[in-house]
């Protein structure tokens, strides 16, 4: 059975028009589908409004106890339920999940090495039988980036990682999975100033070549490392692009070969 796992980030969540378009796209999918959302920009806004200073290191949030309370309210409450409500409006019977709900995602607190990320969680297991059961009931899971450690502790977990781990778990459960990362560019770009320079496809070999010659650098590297980890673990394909590209069946397609 085919399955689409769609990940949308804060640049979409924080833009009502972009969010409406993304949810229209998700609702239009014929095959079973799972939505994973972030929302770090909104979380940072609320943290600031509450008189605290968001702390980020290399794009990763330092999550102390007070920050964990705020991101839980924002991700698992405000954003998740707004997305679910908007999908219900579109006739899509969605169900919002944190990792703690029905033990959807088990994680562990990230070990302290060079940096103490606080209550950041690294995924240990995704409950594929649960998600499979929900999909067979005609429900579409909407997953937020809050997980738990089965000891009563909530954890803040990167949404890209949740999407990757969810796609991998569902592939191992027998689905033909397409993982789609919806972000602000038409794909992985040779030149971010040239909208026509999206790379149409990548394999592990061509990805290594583009890294070696400096075409792919910076923040795209961890995203693509995750993409090829998913492909290597059984996900059929990972597609990276903006909403227009995904709607048109374009974007950068990452495959085994």
């Amino acid at each position: 059975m085919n399955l689409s796992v769609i990940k949308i980030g804060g640049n979409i969540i924080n833009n009502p028009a972009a969010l409406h378009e993304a949810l229209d796209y998700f609702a239009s999918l014929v095959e079973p589908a799972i939505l994973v959302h972030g929302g770090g920009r909104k979380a940072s806004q609320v943290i600031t409004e509450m008189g605290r200073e968001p702390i980020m290191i290399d794009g990763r949030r330092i999550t102390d106890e007070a920050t964990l309370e705020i991101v839980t309210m924002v991700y698992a409450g405000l954003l998740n339920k707004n997305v679910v409500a908007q999908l219900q409006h579109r006739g899509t019977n969605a169900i919002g999940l944190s990792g703690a709900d029905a033990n959807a995602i088990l994680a562990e607190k990230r070990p302290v090495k060079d940096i103490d990320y606080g209550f950041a969680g690294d995924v240990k297991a995704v409950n594929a039988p649960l998600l499979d059961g929900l999909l067979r009931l005609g429900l579409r899971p909407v997953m937020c980036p809050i997980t738990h450690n089965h000891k009563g502790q909530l954890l803040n977990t990167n949404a890209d990682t949740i999407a990757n781990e969810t796609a991998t778990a569902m592939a191992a459960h027998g689905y033909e999975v397409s993982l789609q990362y919806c972000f602000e560019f038409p794909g992985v770009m040779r030149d971010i100033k040239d909208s026509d320079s999206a790379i149409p496809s990548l394999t592990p070999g061509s990805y290594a070549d583009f890294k070696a010659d400096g075409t792919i650098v910076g923040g795209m590297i961890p995203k693509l490392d995750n993409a090829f980890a998913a492909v290597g673990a059984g996900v059929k394909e990972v597609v990276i692009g903006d909403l227009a590209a995904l709607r048109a069946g374009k974007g950068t397609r990452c495959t085994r070969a």
Side-chain angles (χ1 to χ4, degrees):
M1 185 184 300
N2 292 330
L3 171 68
S4 292
V5 177
I6 314 293
K7 191 269 176 176
I8 58 175
N11 60 309
I12 292 175
I13 288 284
N14 288 344
N15 182 327
L19 178 60
H20 289 171
E21 290 184 14
L23 296 183
D24 284 346
Y25 169 65
F26 182 74
S28 74
L29 296 173
V30 176
E31 70 272 13
I34 296 171
L35 186 66
V36 179
H37 69 80
R41 294 182 186 179
K42 183 65 175 179
S44 293
Q45 176 189 331
V46 175
I47 289 167
T48 301
E49 289 172 351
M50 296 183 72
R52 300 181 59 82
E53 183 72 25
I55 302 174
M56 309 288 289
I57 297 178
D58 295 331
R60 301 285 187 174
R61 188 180 304 280
I62 304 298
T63 308
D64 60 16
E65 188 170 354
T67 299
L68 179 64
E69 291 184 359
I70 296 170
V71 298
T72 300
M73 289 187 285
V74 172
Y75 297 153
L78 176 64
L79 298 182
N80 188 261
K81 299 315 168 193
N82 178 60
V83 169
V84 169
Q86 292 296 326
L87 287 171
Q88 298 294 0
H89 172 64
R90 288 162 172 78
T92 297
N93 198 6
I95 181 168
L97 297 173
S98 73
D101 295 310
N103 196 32
I105 304 176
L106 181 65
E108 62 183 359
K109 188 173 180 290
R110 184 171 301 156
V112 177
K113 295 180 181 177
D114 296 335
I115 300 169
D116 183 356
Y117 286 97
F119 292 99
D122 294 325
V123 175
K124 291 182 65 179
V126 173
N127 191 340
L130 165 71
L131 298 176
D132 177 49
L134 294 174
L135 291 168
R136 291 181 185 278
L137 288 172
L139 295 167
R140 289 194 171 181
V142 177
M143 305 175 73
C144 76
I146 297 295
T147 57
H148 78 129
N149 69 351
H150 222 297
K151 298 177 183 178
Q153 179 63 58
L154 295 173
L155 297 165
N156 180 23
T157 299
N158 179 266
D160 279 358
T161 301
I162 287 178
N164 178 76
E165 295 286 351
T166 298
T168 300
M170 297 308 287
H173 203 69
Y175 283 86
E176 288 284 321
V177 181
S178 173
L179 170 58
Q180 301 178 31
Y181 285 106
C182 185
F183 77 151
E184 60 267 36
F185 296 107
V188 179
M189 311 300 288
R190 295 175 185 269
D191 179 359
I192 61 172
K193 297 178 181 178
D194 180 0
S195 62
D196 294 324
S197 68
I199 299 169
S201 64
L202 286 170
T203 64
S206 62
Y207 172 45
D209 291 341
F210 280 126
K211 281 197 297 184
D213 69 16
T215 300
I216 296 176
V217 295
M220 280 308 305
I221 290 177
K223 189 179 289 288
L224 285 167
D225 284 347
N226 278 336
F228 281 106
V231 167
V235 172
K236 181 181 178 181
E237 64 178 10
V238 179
V239 185
I240 300 172
D242 60 17
L243 186 59
L246 297 181
R247 278 187 178 277
K250 297 181 179 179
T252 299
R253 186 165 270 97
C254 304
T255 60
R256 298 181 189 93

